[in-house]
Amino acid sequence: NANELVGKIFEVIISVVFILKGYGIWGLLYGSMINFLIIVLLSTLLSAIHLGFMPFSIKLIKKNNIKEVISFGSVLTAGSLFTMFIEPFNRFILSQYASFSAAAIYDVASRVVVQIRGVIEIAFRPILPQSSMYHNTNEFDKIKLISKFSVRIVSLLGIPLLLVIAVWAPELINIW
């Protein structure tokens, strides 16, 4: 989306400027933080323009809602941290106890699986807002239908695709 593109452009420019000024790796961090701020500000501004009012209000923030968001966010963060640290750990273990080529093969396989999962995830992005809408109108039977459809799609497309890739893995590694 345009907000992310603008944010990424500023991230690159600011990162390069900070790196050239001698901040080193911290320049990347500063650029990333400014990217995030630009995306949030642009999204808020555009939402206010399109909706005709600010989409949120500090008065509407409730203590219980904050606890729920922090609880949910902490679980997601823990999962992300685990994933972030397990990949290098797996590569290290493979390179130490198997071989460097095993670590390279693991890296390629891991990336392929992540790419496939990303394609499936993108296909299912519209489902969450639709399910939320049905939940708000108490149409739980439609949510069940969407869930069944989702499981069928993953079962009929995602699993066979991963199996095909598993069978063709040696050829894919040679091509890579």
Side-chain angles (χ1 to χ4, degrees):
N1 106 16
N3 297 350
E4 291 181 23
L5 177 62
V6 170
K8 283 291 181 189
I9 290 170
F10 276 102
E11 177 180 357
V12 169
I13 292 169
I14 291 167
S15 294
V16 168
V17 167
F18 276 116
I19 289 170
L20 292 176
K21 289 196 174 246
Y23 286 92
I25 194 79
W26 290 101
L28 296 174
L29 176 66
Y30 297 145
S32 181
M33 289 178 358
I34 290 171
N35 170 33
F36 174 76
L37 289 173
I38 288 172
I39 290 173
V40 168
L41 292 173
L42 281 175
S43 297
T44 303
L45 177 66
L46 291 174
S47 296
I49 290 169
H50 289 297
L51 296 174
F53 62 91
M54 287 302 287
F56 60 87
S57 171
I58 294 177
K59 296 175 188 173
L60 297 176
I61 297 175
K62 306 265 189 282
K63 188 175 181 179
N64 287 339
N65 293 349
I66 292 173
K67 286 181 183 178
E68 285 182 34
V69 168
I70 289 173
S71 174
F72 181 73
S74 63
V75 171
L76 290 178
T77 302
S80 296
L81 287 173
F82 178 77
T83 301
M84 184 176 71
F85 289 119
I86 198 70
E87 291 285 329
F89 176 77
N90 287 343
R91 284 189 208 110
F92 173 75
I93 294 298
L94 282 170
S95 66
Q96 292 295 313
Y97 297 105
S99 66
F100 285 115
S101 63
I105 290 170
Y106 169 80
D107 192 44
V108 170
S110 176
R111 288 182 188 196
V112 167
V113 170
V114 166
Q115 293 297 323
I116 292 170
R117 188 180 70 203
V119 168
I120 293 171
E121 176 190 329
I122 288 170
F124 286 109
R125 281 188 184 166
I127 290 175
L128 184 60
Q130 190 67 37
S131 296
S132 179
M133 186 183 77
Y134 288 147
H135 186 271
N136 288 338
T137 58
N138 294 325
E139 298 179 73
F140 299 111
D141 54 330
K142 291 185 179 181
I143 295 173
K144 287 180 185 177
L145 288 173
I146 290 175
S147 296
K148 286 180 183 178
F149 176 75
S150 301
V151 170
R152 283 188 194 130
I153 293 295
V154 170
S155 299
L156 294 174
L157 295 177
I159 294 172
L161 184 58
L162 287 174
L163 290 174
V164 166
I165 289 175
V167 169
W168 284 26
E171 288 80 15
L172 292 173
I173 295 297
N174 288 333
I175 292 170
W176 193 280

